[in-house]
Amino acid sequence: MTTSSTPAYPSRCRRCDSRVTLMFTRSNNRIGNAGRPYYKCLTCTKFLCFADSRGLDPSNPLCSCGIPSRRQISGPARCVPRGLHYVCSQGGCSFYSPMHGDYGQISLDEEIASLFIQLSFI
């Protein structure tokens, strides 16, 4: 697994052009993001992107901004098993692409998802 260094992050919201704020997920977050830093626009309440290197890999597909995307997993409330996908790593565009294998979107059960989260793969 290869990870790239933490990229430069947005200072303005792509939706309303307001300044964005660095925030942290709650420490009791149960989907693998406890204490994780992220950027959010407080004006329009838009989540932009996570502010760490988790899921970053220079071989990930390029997003519409022309930069490598971030590999992520859907939350358990939305989909069980949890599907892997790519999103814009800097919150600069609305890029979203499911991660496909031979039989459709790649999904993980909770045990494997927890391991991949600990390894910063997703």
Side-chain angles (χ1 to χ4, degrees), residues 5-120:
S5 61
T6 304
Y9 289 104
S11 59
R12 306 202 71 81
C13 175
R14 67 181 165 93
R15 179 185 289 168
C16 71
D17 201 39
S18 296
R19 294 199 61 75
V20 298
T21 302
L22 178 65
M23 303 183 80
F24 295 87
T25 58
R26 294 186 183 120
S27 59
N28 63 349
N29 181 289
R30 291 183 272 166
I31 62 170
N33 293 322
R36 194 169 178 194
Y38 66 97
Y39 284 99
K40 181 177 183 176
C41 176
L42 299 180
T43 303
C44 70
T45 68
K46 171 121 177 96
F47 169 90
L48 271 79
C49 63
F50 285 108
D52 58 16
S53 59
R54 237 172 80 181
L56 298 180
D57 187 320
S59 67
N60 287 352
L62 297 182
C63 71
S64 301
C65 299
I67 56 174
S69 58
R70 180 185 303 270
R71 188 176 34 245
Q72 290 188 164
I73 190 167
S74 60
R78 293 187 193 118
C79 177
V80 175
R82 300 170 70 180
L84 295 176
H85 58 270
Y86 298 100
V87 297
C88 179
S89 62
Q90 296 180 18
C93 67
S94 59
F95 179 78
Y96 173 89
S97 179
M99 188 177 190
H100 287 284
D102 292 339
Y103 302 102
Q105 184 175 14
I106 298 173
S107 299
L108 303 176
D109 66 26
E110 284 304 309
E111 186 177 334
I112 299 297
S114 293
L115 178 60
F116 277 22
I117 289 167
Q118 289 173 8
L119 294 171
S120 294

